[in-house]
Structures are given as structure tokens and as C-alpha cells.
Amino acid sequence: MTVLSRLFASRDEFRQVAALPLRRAPDGTLLVGLVTSRDTGRWIPPKGWPKAGKAAHVVAAEEAREEGGLVGRIEEQPGGIYHYRKKLHFFASVTCAVDVYFLHDVEQLATWPEQRERRVGFFPPEEAASLVAEPELAEIIRNLATA
């Protein structure tokens, strides 16, 4: 798959990759990791654009490390896909399709590149689903509670 085919899912849609960090609380409860976006401060999974010569799941794991200092074991196949509108500038936006890769057994590094630009939080699936704006992403997260 070429970089362009990864970036453009169709004529009107851009492709991104995201990691959905997962870990267990001391009592065994599943927790979902989210970071805040730099521009609006809303809760999102760490995500970014595909990179030439790198597998999508590897890029997703790199985004989790850069945006939230989150490291773990990444799945090689996406566990879901969601869509959102990305604002390019004041008058333009595009639809992005985001492939979501589950990042398991997550730990947080002491320091990371975007530490001063974002907040990181871990939430039970129902709470995490209520914090994200995208209905398809919320459904992916809610399905974790029943898996």
C-alpha cells in the first residue's frame, strides 16, 4: 500500500491511525487511555497521519508515545474505524477515517515529547465513551466493556 493510498481512503476522505491505550486498574477494572487535543482540549485517542515505510500499527504506537508517553503492546490489525471532520483552516474541513489499533498493557513514561501540550487520562470504558465526541469511536470503546 502506498503512502497516498493510506492517506486518501477515497477522493473525499483522509486516512489516519490511532492507538487506543488499554490497561488494568489494581482491582482488575479495564481502563481506556485518552489524551487531549492541542487545539480544542477535547478527549481523543492518540492519532496521526500514516508515514512512508512504516506499518500503520507502528505509527499508531509512536503517536501514543509522543502524545501521551504511553507504551505497550500494539495489535497489528485495527480493532475498529471511526470518522470525524478535521478542520484545516477557518473555512475548510475534511472527513478523516481513523483506523484504531488497541495498545495493551500500557505504562506511562516519565517524560515524552508533547507532555506540556496535552493531558492524559485513563477512564472506565463507559466514561471514556462519554468523553469522546465521535459516536463511532464511543461505540468501539463501549464494546471493550463487553469483550
Side-chain angles (χ1 to χ4, degrees), residues 65-109:
R65 186 188 54 74
E66 292 170 8
E67 295 181 6
L70 305 172
V71 295
R73 180 180 48 81
I74 191 86
E75 289 188 10
E76 292 185 16
Q77 297 300 315
I81 185 171
Y82 74 94
H83 298 81
Y84 78 103
R85 295 291 296 173
K86 180 171 185 63
K87 204 176 230 186
L88 298 177
H89 54 76
F90 191 69
F91 292 109
S93 64
V94 295
T95 298
C96 288
V98 184
D99 291 320
V100 178
Y101 295 85
F102 297 125
L103 183 66
H104 298 277
D105 307 319
V106 169
E107 295 183 13
Q108 191 170 34
L109 302 172

Side-chain angles (χ1 to χ4, degrees), residues 69 108-112 115:
Q108 191 170 34
L109 302 172
T111 61
W112 60 92
Q115 189 167 5

